[in-house]
Amino acid sequence: MSSLDHVRLKLNKHMLKNDLHGDQVRSMFDAITPVYDRMNRLMTFGQDRSWRRFLVRKIAPQPGEKILDLATGTGDLAFEVLRQQADVSVWAGDFAVQMMKQGQQRQHAERIHWLACDALSLPFADDCFDAVICGFLLRNVEDRNRAQREILRVLKPGARFASLDTMPPSGFAKPLVWVACRFAVPLLARLMTGRSGAYRYLGDSTLGFASPSVLLDELRSVGFEAGGMQKFWMNSVAVIWARKPS
Ligand SMILES: C[S@@+](CC[C@H](N)C(=O)[O-])C[C@H]1O[C@@H](n2cnc3c(N)ncnc32)[C@H](O)[C@@H]1O
């Protein structure tokens, strides 16, 4: 069996356990919009901001470039791009329109091109972005392989891709992260929102997700030149990056 077959096998196992259909994912995120940003800050003790800063530094936006934040949600990564490089054209796409409406209330939102779109069928021409970034898309998207191929398609030759996501824990942190995923985060969500469903899904999908090295293998298998990874927070979060061949 080739290493790619192993990757596919792992992926399929993961899908059986955790996958929701696209419309369920969309309604889930639309429904948690009012608490989404606050929960992110609370669950991560504000650390998600530094992971986002790291990701954007990794793609190093240059003046005049066109950058897509795919699955933008409320736009945290898109705003971070503008903070690091004001002279760029930033596009922010998601299929959860309520999440984007929330982002559009934020200061400087008018500097971003917001667009309702599905990562599985992007409404952009081939070879048109200098960089595509995403936060927590690859764990949530219904068909990861198709999303990866779409991202590759819209990138210019030589252009960069970076993704931030949670990852299944390993080593000494495993029991801690497991307790956080199974109990602490759903409990926090229940206290904050009266419901914990979406945050139980966060825990389940994190524990069943592919590791960064599997994700990099997948990116290589669809045609990216793989770059690297950086893990954070007891190896429970990772940024991975890659490039479209020139
Ligand atoms: C956990 S949120 C992340 C939002 C934001 N990127 C962040 O870093 O906070 C995941 C986002 O992925 C979006 N998403 C999932 N599947 C998608 C798809 N097929 N097309 C577009 N957006 C998708 C959801 O709507 C949701 O807004």
Side-chain angles (χ1 to χ4, degrees), residues 124-130 151-157 159 244:
F124 300 109
D126 297 356
D127 304 336
C128 67
F129 287 101
D130 297 287
I151 292 167
L152 185 71
R153 179 182 69 74
V154 302
L155 284 170
K156 294 177 183 173
K244 182 166 174 172

Side-chain angles (χ1 to χ4, degrees), residues 29-57:
F29 282 107
D30 272 340
I32 61 170
T33 297
V35 293
Y36 179 78
D37 289 329
R38 210 153 12 115
M39 276 297 290
N40 274 353
R41 301 295 106 77
L42 280 172
M43 283 184 306
T44 68
F45 301 99
Q47 288 302 301
D48 65 305
R49 289 202 173 105
S50 64
W51 308 331
R52 293 173 205 282
R53 277 197 297 273
F54 176 89
L55 179 150
V56 175
R57 278 201 301 271

Side-chain angles (χ1 to χ4, degrees), residues 201-217:
Y201 164 81
L202 165 64
D204 287 348
S205 58
T206 296
L207 295 174
F209 192 38
S211 69
S213 49
V214 168
L215 292 174
L216 286 171
D217 278 348

Side-chain angles (χ1 to χ4, degrees), residues 136-213:
F136 314 106
L137 168 68
L138 296 180
R139 180 171 44 80
N140 289 300
V141 72
E142 192 172 3
D143 181 343
R144 190 157 75 227
N145 178 272
R146 189 160 154 195
Q148 290 163 341
R149 283 185 282 119
E150 273 297 87
I151 292 167
L152 185 71
R153 179 182 69 74
V154 302
L155 284 170
K156 294 177 183 173
R160 298 93 75 203
F161 170 59
S163 159
L164 161 69
D165 221 312
T166 54
M167 57 177 273
S170 56
F172 75 97
K174 206 168 171 174
L176 269 179
V177 177
W178 194 89
V179 169
C181 286
R182 288 273 186 261
F183 300 108
V185 169
L187 178 66
L188 180 65
R190 183 165 284 281
L191 293 174
M192 293 272 301
T193 69
R195 283 184 304 171
S196 58
Y199 288 91
R200 261 187 284 118
Y201 164 81
L202 165 64
D204 287 348
S205 58
T206 296
L207 295 174
F209 192 38
S211 69
S213 49

